[in-house]
Amino acid sequence: MLQKDCCPLVIAGPSGSGKSTLLNRLFEEFPDKFGFSVSHTTRAPRPGEENGKHYYFTSKEVMQKQIENGEFIETATYSGNLYGTSKLAVENVQRTGKICILDIEIEGVKQIKNSSLNARYIFIKPPSLEELEQRLKKRKTETEESLRRRLNTAKIELEYGKQPGNFDIVIENDNLGKAYEKLREFISYKWNINT
Ligand SMILES: Nc1ncnc2c1ncn2[C@@H]1O[C@H](COP(=O)(O)OP(=O)(O)OP(=O)(O)O)[C@@H](O)[C@H]1O
């Protein structure tokens, strides 16, 4: 059996692949077992996003200073904005005894792999780039330009996701219910959680 606090779970995948949707289900089903590592970002909040819950919304200047001070485990630039996981964000979850979940970009994944965090890695993959585009359009959060950038980045991310050894499991999110079952199964097995 794994020590709960030794193994955070890293979830990655292209924007729009369904990471938040799947994680929201997981948090709903197991509110006492998992805690979300709240990332920092310099992007603007989307409607409904709360500071300190979905992200810590900050400025480039402030975040760059904190990075220089060594306060972050990983940082990445994505679609022109800075993102990052602070050491404090992970510690805050681990202190509660919950399994820490990190939803991060591929650049961040690479950095976590070089850090002292002994994490498990899940990649969420869309059924196709066309379907990804449709979902992002439906989500109505992107401009034409940010949509293009997300789709271009997605191609690179999908390449990284399919390299053997980069992730413990790759889950295709075609049917949401089935994808969730796979996620749940993997997690309950790895963390020895009775579901
Ligand atoms: N299996 C699915 N079938 C159809 N639509 C889906 C499925 N999974 C997620 N979606 C929809 O696709 C959109 C993108 O999902 P979501 O916001 O969870 O992606 P994400 O990977 O968290 O993106 P980001 O990294 O930009 O936050 C949402 O509108 C969501 O409702």
Side-chain angles (χ1 to χ4, degrees):
M1 180 180 163
L2 294 165
Q3 282 293 312
K4 268 191 179 180
D5 60 358
C6 81
C7 304
L9 166 66
V10 170
I11 189 158
S15 171
S17 59
K19 302 178 297 288
S20 311
T21 310
L22 289 164
L23 287 182
N24 285 342
R25 277 203 178 188
L26 192 74
F27 289 126
E28 236 168 65
E29 189 175 352
F30 302 103
D32 305 329
K33 294 222 162 61
F34 302 99
F36 189 58
S37 156
V38 181
S39 295
H40 283 62
T41 183
T42 62
R43 82 151 162 73
R46 292 178 191 146
E49 283 183 335
E50 286 172 42
N51 189 37
K53 184 177 174 195
H54 300 93
Y55 281 101
Y56 293 111
F57 295 100
T58 183
S59 68
K60 268 188 186 154
E61 295 69 31
V62 170
M63 192 161 161
Q64 251 146 8
K65 279 227 174 78
Q66 290 176 319
I67 294 170
E68 283 161 27
N69 288 341
E71 293 176 32
F72 282 82
I73 304 173
E74 60 82 27
T75 59
T77 303
Y78 181 78
S79 276
N81 290 300
L82 271 174
Y83 289 77
T85 303
S86 68
K87 291 176 182 167
L88 199 61
V90 173
E91 283 164 17
N92 281 344
V93 176
Q94 290 184 328
R95 217 175 291 132
T96 64
K98 294 181 182 177
I99 297 160
C100 181
I101 298 194
L102 294 91
D103 173 350
I104 57 177
E105 306 303 328
I106 296 292
E107 287 315 307
V109 170
K110 293 176 187 166
Q111 292 165 51
I112 297 277
K113 286 185 176 214
N114 285 324
S115 79
S116 58
L117 283 191
N118 176 24
R120 298 289 176 269
Y121 298 88
I122 298 182
F123 188 78
I124 305 297
K125 164 184 183 297
S128 65
L129 277 172
E130 291 72 29
E131 176 63 22
L132 186 68
E133 181 169 355
Q134 290 315 313
R135 287 184 193 173
L136 282 170
K137 277 185 178 160
K138 255 202 204 154
R139 195 171 72 177
K140 293 190 167 56
T141 52
E142 308 310 317
T143 62
E144 195 54 41
E145 200 216 329
S146 73
L147 179 69
R148 286 299 130 219
R149 275 205 258 179
R150 275 165 206 270
L151 291 172
N152 282 334
T153 308
K155 290 177 196 157
I156 302 164
E157 292 169 324
L158 289 170
E159 269 309 304
Y160 181 79
K162 72 180 187 200
Q163 299 306 314
N166 281 349
F167 289 88
D168 293 298
I169 187 172
V170 174
I171 297 174
E172 182 172 318
N173 179 17
D174 184 356
N175 174 290
L176 186 60
K178 285 189 182 153
Y180 182 66
E181 275 315 306
K182 281 190 188 146
L183 177 71
R184 204 173 176 274
E185 197 181 298
F186 175 81
I187 289 177
S188 34
Y189 171 69
K190 285 282 175 195
W191 280 266
N192 201 19
I193 291 165
N194 296 322
T195 56

